[in-house]
Amino acid sequence: MGVRPLRGQNPQIDKEGGMKKLLMMVVLLMMVGFMGCDDTTTTVVAPEDLAPPLGLYSITGDEEVTLFWWCSNYDDLVGYKVYFISGPYGGGADPREEVPNGFEVVDSLSVTPPCSELKSIVIDGLTNGETYHFLVVAAKDNWSDISYTSNIIADTPRPESGTTITLYAKQAEPTLAGLEVSSFERVDCTSLDSNYDTPGGSGDIMVERFNPGAGVRAWIDGINSGWIQDIGYMQDWDDADEAPETGYADAGHSIEALMGHVYAIWTGDNHFAKIQVTDIEPSFEWIKVKAAYQPAVGEREYK
């Protein structure tokens, strides 16, 4: 004698419902299995198995940062992952075992062993005036195993003038004698008040020509409460990596414009810039400069 179903119970429906439940369980198990086999999962390995990158440093650019580090020679090394985070980071700059929370991969660089030279990569598409923190890890085994992190560095991209800017001596062409470093635009210095302010309130430096004795020299003045300092001849202006804290000539005081020299500028609204003299006209009617400006308030970093 068979067992009778409870009132309101349909054996066929129960059978189908059980099959559906079983099917759902199988699908869930398959999903868990696939999640456990995710190829993007990374494992941090000990330094003896894969050394971290050494000596990470950067060169600041216009909407970009170039990173440099020393490559470690491991036979199974496949490349490097670059991580970054935008904005403040309070975790310090010491090497650590794992990538800190908040950092994300921004780029990667493949290498072929043997590898023992300086490597570099350009991270572009960044926002000028925004501070970023970077770190790099080495990778092996199809990028699934990564090393301890490199040192963590900070960099703040800043705009550059791109092309050179011709500044005329005030005695030759006063309307083109000044430079507003925040926009790389020439400004009118026809009439300056007693505080060396331009009529429109713009401009950070001005070029003048002086005739001491038989010689002719071009001089650069700080204007609009700006300050300027000659930080020396540099074949590569990236060698000027940071604006000095002290040693500036006050507004209205002149320093000589010399070929190849780099000049630090501290503006009246607490921004830092730099210019380099790239050409000087023989009679000192004009000089040519290239410029970079740091939009982050109080940030002295050029490089």
Side-chain angles (χ1 to χ4, degrees), residues 128-264:
N128 285 333
E130 180 76 18
T131 298
Y132 299 84
H133 290 79
F134 298 90
L135 65 84
V136 180
V137 298
K140 68 175 185 177
D141 293 341
N142 198 27
W143 300 88
S144 59
D145 288 348
I146 62 173
S147 69
Y148 288 5
T149 70
S150 67
N151 54 304
I152 299 173
I153 63 169
D155 207 325
T156 308
R158 77 291 181 278
E160 293 185 4
S161 59
T163 58
T164 57
I165 304 165
T166 302
L167 298 175
Y168 288 83
K170 184 174 183 290
Q171 294 85 343
E173 182 51 73
T175 62
L176 300 174
L179 177 66
E180 172 65 40
V181 293
S182 63
S183 61
F184 311 124
E185 294 180 353
R186 295 179 294 184
V187 297
D188 188 353
C189 292
T190 302
S191 59
L192 301 175
D193 64 21
S194 58
N195 294 319
Y196 269 74
D197 290 330
T198 57
S202 61
D204 298 294
I205 62 169
M206 177 183 66
V207 177
E208 295 184 286
R209 186 181 64 222
F210 280 69
N211 295 62
V216 179
R217 292 189 289 183
W219 295 72
I220 300 177
D221 265 300
I223 60 175
N224 288 337
S225 300
W227 302 271
I228 190 168
Q229 180 177 169
D230 184 349
I231 52 179
Y233 173 83
M234 297 182 188
Q235 187 169 354
D236 184 348
W237 86 322
D238 282 328
D239 290 340
D241 58 353
E242 190 174 66
E245 293 186 63
T246 59
Y248 292 86
D250 290 335
H253 289 76
S254 299
I255 56 177
E256 187 175 359
L258 298 171
M259 184 68 180
H261 280 231
V262 177
Y263 300 82

Side-chain angles (χ1 to χ4, degrees), residues 21-77:
K21 289 180 181 179
L22 181 61
L23 209 63
M24 289 175 63
M25 289 180 65
V26 171
V27 170
L28 286 171
L29 287 170
M30 290 176 66
M31 289 174 63
V32 171
F34 286 139
M35 289 171 63
C37 298
D38 186 358
D39 289 338
T40 62
T41 301
T42 56
T43 302
V44 179
V45 298
E48 57 266 26
D49 297 320
L50 185 62
L54 299 175
L56 178 65
Y57 69 95
S58 65
I59 290 181
T60 311
D62 189 347
E63 296 185 350
E64 67 179 32
V65 169
T66 304
L67 301 176
F68 298 84
W69 67 89
W70 286 100
C71 185
S72 302
N73 189 12
Y74 279 74
D75 292 338
D76 50 1
L77 177 70

Side-chain angles (χ1 to χ4, degrees), residues 45-117:
V45 298
E48 57 266 26
D49 297 320
L50 185 62
L54 299 175
L56 178 65
Y57 69 95
S58 65
I59 290 181
T60 311
D62 189 347
E63 296 185 350
E64 67 179 32
V65 169
T66 304
L67 301 176
F68 298 84
W69 67 89
W70 286 100
C71 185
S72 302
N73 189 12
Y74 279 74
D75 292 338
D76 50 1
L77 177 70
V78 295
Y80 293 90
K81 292 183 179 182
V82 179
Y83 290 77
F84 83 148
I85 186 172
S86 174
Y89 168 68
D94 294 329
R96 52 182 65 216
E97 295 184 9
E98 297 184 356
V99 177
N101 291 333
F103 280 80
E104 58 185 50
V105 176
V106 64
D107 211 337
S108 61
L109 179 68
S110 298
V111 298
T112 302
C115 176
S116 58
E117 70 275 12

